Amino acid sequence: MKTITIRRPDDWHLHLRDGAMLEAVLPATSAHFARAIIMPNLVPPVVTTADAKTYRARIMAALPKDHAFTPLMTLYLTESTDADDVAAGFASGEVTAVKLYPAGATTNSQSGVRDIDKVTPVLERMAEIGMPLCVHGEVTDPEIDIFDREAVFIDRVLDPLRRRIPGLRIVMEHVTTRNGVDYVKSADEGLAATITTHHLIINRNAILAGGIRPHYYCLPVAKREEHRLALRAAATSGDARFFLGTDSAPHTDPLKECACGCAGVFCAPNTLSCLAHVFEQERALDKLEAFVSINGPAFYRLPVNEETITLQRRDEPVAYPAKIETGAGPVTVFDPMFPLYWAVADA
Ligand code: DOR
Ligand code: ZN
């Protein structure tokens, strides 16, 4: 049996939710990952260091006793965010990054930023202290086609912002286009991107060709095949500016399978199996460790994990549940539409 052993991975973009959903989805991540950047788009959002502390405590309370996992907390940037609170949270280690959602861009982003000038003092302070800003990079202008919103965001918001505050360290979250990849590659320093598992596997046909498949709908929406190929090339290249952020974002089936379904793909349970498959297809299994375990901590200036995990390539497809049950309802697991042969070996 073929096996590979890599440093224990981290997930640099994860939605854990709260309550019954948190309890049900957390073990899928903490079984395999050492750390994750926890998204703050709860209702109400995690806006202060005090909010992050209490949310972190709820995550730790939901963690299975035999799992070792460190949640890295983020604050949801609003137009009234207090720069002193952000800086204090970063200095104490209670907060790792701040998340910028343009207001209205995605799930629970109503309290996000409408006017970027209003948050300039907070961003300047973050630049001073070296605190990363995680960016949901899509414009919300209804005039802009949804498939163009990432590319337009780079031109209208991200590039001007980087010129205005050159010291700000930015992660372009869940990059989905060749434009995004090229933009990140154009910067030598202070700019990186996360790439999701599912954007390496599906293009927009998965959502729309032959029927609407709501479980492949997420934001930013999957784009044309040429963009998926650019993402695959970036992820499997070993380039330190690209690392895994699964964007695993659970919603219950009734909220996905309806006339106006929520955006989000729940890919935490089979992410490492999917990624090993993708990297093997690209003949780049030797680059998997960089993407999932090394490039992320390097950007966040955190140590790499010392523990390891082993992935095994089985002869028969690996069985995994199509859905998980949660106290809030069933949640469908990402279906890559091909059998998976790689599995994480039991420790
Ligand atoms: O598809 C998405 N789901 N994109 C986001 O940006 C948010 C996320 C969620 O919270 O469900
Ligand atoms: Zn997300």
Side-chain angles (χ1 to χ4, degrees), residues 15 17 41 101 106-107 136 174 217-220 247 249 251 263-265:
H15 298 268
R17 316 299 190 204
N41 62 332
Y101 287 105
T106 186
T107 312
H136 183 110
H174 40 52
Y217 172 63
C218 63
L219 289 170
D247 199 12
H251 293 277
V265 170

Side-chain angles (χ1 to χ4, degrees), residues 201 216 232 270-278 280-281 312-320 334-343:
I201 294 174
Y216 295 117
R232 276 172 89 110
N270 55 6
T271 270
L272 289 171
S273 299
C274 288
L275 291 173
H277 187 108
V278 165
E280 182 178 49
Q281 276 182 334
Q312 303 173 326
R313 195 186 199 290
R314 307 258 165 90
D315 294 332
E316 300 298 325
V318 179
Y320 60 90
F334 174 59
D335 172 5
M337 296 179 282
F338 47 70
L340 293 169
Y341 290 91
W342 287 91

Side-chain angles (χ1 to χ4, degrees), residues 96-113:
T96 301
V98 170
K99 175 71 187 262
L100 165 64
Y101 287 105
T106 186
T107 312
N108 303 333
S109 62
Q110 305 84 320
S111 337
V113 175

Side-chain angles (χ1 to χ4, degrees), residues 102 136-160 172 176-177 179-180 183 223:
H136 183 110
E138 289 190 289
V139 289
T140 53
D141 183 345
E143 306 265 294
I144 305 295
D145 189 279
I146 187 157
F147 292 101
D148 298 331
R149 288 182 182 185
E150 181 172 297
V152 173
F153 182 87
I154 294 169
D155 293 343
R156 284 196 192 166
V157 184
L158 186 56
D159 193 57
M172 226 188 133
T176 60
T177 57
N179 315 59
Y183 185 69
K223 309 293 193 300

